[in-house]
Amino acid sequence: MSQLRRATALAHPNIALIKYWGNRDAYWRIPANDSLSFNLEGLWTRTTVTFRPDLGTDRLVLHGRPVTGETLARVQRVLDEVRAASGLAWSAEVLSENNFPMGTGIASSASAFAALALAAAAAAGLTWSERALSRLARLGSGSAARSVPGGFVLWRAGRGHEDSFAYTFAPAEHWALADCIAVVSTRPKVVGSSQGHALAATSPLQAARVADTPRRLALAQDAILRRDFAQLAEVVELDTHLMHAVMQTSQPRLLYWHRASLEVMHAVRAWRAAGRPVAYTLDAGPNVHVLCPATLAESVAADLAVLPGVNEVRVATVGGPARVLEEDEGLASN
Ligand code: PMV
């Protein structure tokens, strides 16, 4: 056997149309509610995991810089699971990079932990199913469970580790949608999503949001299956406001919106009222994801770019699943 066990994987971030906010079980990252998303083609994280007998401890290197602390601990949770399942006792070196600059405010934890899960499992020689890999990715970041399968994805909350995983309900080719990301701030967020999930239950609105999720999820899934943009727009914006209402009423209160976020939201509402198929959604940050049919992405991105406070617009279409790369693919830029 070779003295190195190495694999490289690539995964896309995803944008949730029905959001995950709050955990029923924080240790296993079992969410309070089901969620629905699509992967973002054109944006990716690429991660190489090498298990080596000569390393005393796990090492994480992001964009060439060693990282320790809480981020390394989350990576180790995934590596430990792989070591336990494979019987491999070696420490690992994890090298990771994104093709979207860190600090553009585009969440990278979903693509990062999906790529890590695939690379670590492959490096250890585990041939796991997509659903097992989705569970593994979830242990690092909940939304990473949704970056493992491709296209339009549903994550059923489940009751425990075994039945909490994401799967594709429509392939990427089903509907050519785009996400035009209006970047209004590149500052790191004050309260990250792991801390934020822990606060969700302190809002009196969380129980109502969770109770209504099956209805919104069914509406969103139906809108996607029938390619009904108007129905999708209504439910996506409602879901965003429900999640932000919970954030804004938790203790302490979390207000992720900036002035420029509101500028974009108002512009999108006006455009839709004038008959343009656009809708917005925001995650745990101020940047605004503006959804539209892919054929309109160029004009929507151009109009977003000139709104006050918008620094940059990134356009992504519906992306495929996370995948292990061949040795030579791992070196090429994708
Ligand atoms: O996976 P996390 O812990 O980064 O949580 C993601 C939370 C949101 O992005 C706000 C919503 C979602 O469903 O992606």
Side-chain angles (χ1 to χ4, degrees):
M1 189 174 51
S2 138
Q3 288 299 86
L4 290 183
R5 305 283 291 270
R6 173 163 45 213
T8 298
L10 180 143
H12 303 291
N14 66 76
I15 180 66
L17 307 182
I18 300 297
K19 307 290 189 187
Y20 146 53
W21 195 245
N23 285 313
R24 265 209 328 252
D25 181 329
Y27 180 76
W28 290 102
R29 294 186 194 271
I30 309 301
N33 61 277
D34 298 350
S35 56
L36 183 155
S37 61
F38 66 80
N39 286 348
L40 299 177
E41 184 68 45
L43 305 178
W44 48 255
T45 299
R46 186 172 53 203
T47 300
T48 300
V49 174
T50 311
F51 288 102
R52 292 166 41 162
D54 58 336
L55 282 176
T57 178
D58 295 318
R59 273 169 45 84
L60 171 64
V61 179
L62 297 183
H63 286 270
R65 296 220 179 117
V67 176
T68 56
E70 172 61 19
T71 307
L72 175 62
R74 283 168 73 178
V75 165
Q76 285 177 310
R77 175 90 196 278
V78 173
L79 295 172
D80 285 345
E81 197 74 11
V82 165
R83 280 187 282 252
S86 64
L88 191 64
W90 298 342
S91 292
E93 179 182 68
V94 178
L95 306 179
S96 190
E97 56 179 7
N98 303 320
N99 77 334
F100 46 101
M102 308 252 269
T104 49
I106 300 169
S108 56
S109 68
S111 49
F113 283 102
L116 173 69
L118 263 72
L126 297 172
T127 49
W128 278 3
S129 65
E130 182 179 89
R131 117 185 354 193
L133 293 166
S134 173
R135 281 187 207 113
L136 176 64
R138 193 196 74 236
L139 300 177
S141 172
S143 57
R146 297 190 311 242
S147 278
V148 172
F152 296 89
V153 169
L154 249 171
W155 173 20
R156 294 284 180 201
R159 275 163 308 182
H161 182 57
E162 279 305 301
D163 63 351
S164 190
F165 56 86
Y167 58 92
T168 301
F169 70 90
E173 313 74 63
H174 168 72
W175 195 9
L177 286 182
D179 177 6
C180 305
I181 308 164
V183 178
V184 303
S185 170
T186 56
R187 266 179 290 154
K189 44 191 153 189
V190 184
V191 177
S193 47
S194 288
Q195 275 173 283
H197 290 300
L199 300 178
T202 66
S203 165
L205 304 182
Q206 169 73 345
R209 187 192 72 88
V210 169
D212 183 60
T213 302
R215 185 187 70 86
R216 296 191 310 282
L217 192 95
L219 279 170
Q221 191 177 9
D222 173 66
I224 290 167
L225 291 175
R226 293 190 302 100
R227 303 184 188 90
D228 181 337
F229 194 90
Q231 180 172 316
L232 187 66
E234 287 302 317
V235 72
V236 164
E237 290 186 4
L238 171 63
D239 191 83
T240 295
H241 283 277
L242 283 167
M243 181 180 74
H244 283 270
V246 168
M247 292 163 160
Q248 289 164 16
T249 54
S250 65
Q251 285 174 356
R253 292 188 295 276
L254 306 176
L255 180 58
Y256 286 109
W257 299 344
H258 291 191
R259 195 178 305 240
S261 319
L262 282 161
E263 292 278 358
V264 177
M265 288 191 257
H266 281 294
V268 169
R269 283 168 74 104
W271 295 340
R272 194 155 83 255
R276 201 176 192 188
V278 282
Y280 59 75
T281 182
L282 293 88
D283 283 338
N287 300 318
V288 188
H289 294 252
V290 179
L291 309 175
C292 65
T295 48
L296 303 182
E298 208 176 311
S299 70
V300 169
D303 290 345
L304 287 170
V306 297
L307 291 176
V310 173
N311 301 330
E312 183 193 353
V313 181
R314 295 230 153 199
V315 176
T317 51
V318 184
R323 61 194 177 93
V324 173
L325 302 178
E326 300 301 325
E327 191 78 356
D328 49 347
E329 267 188 297
L331 299 171
S333 61
N334 266 265

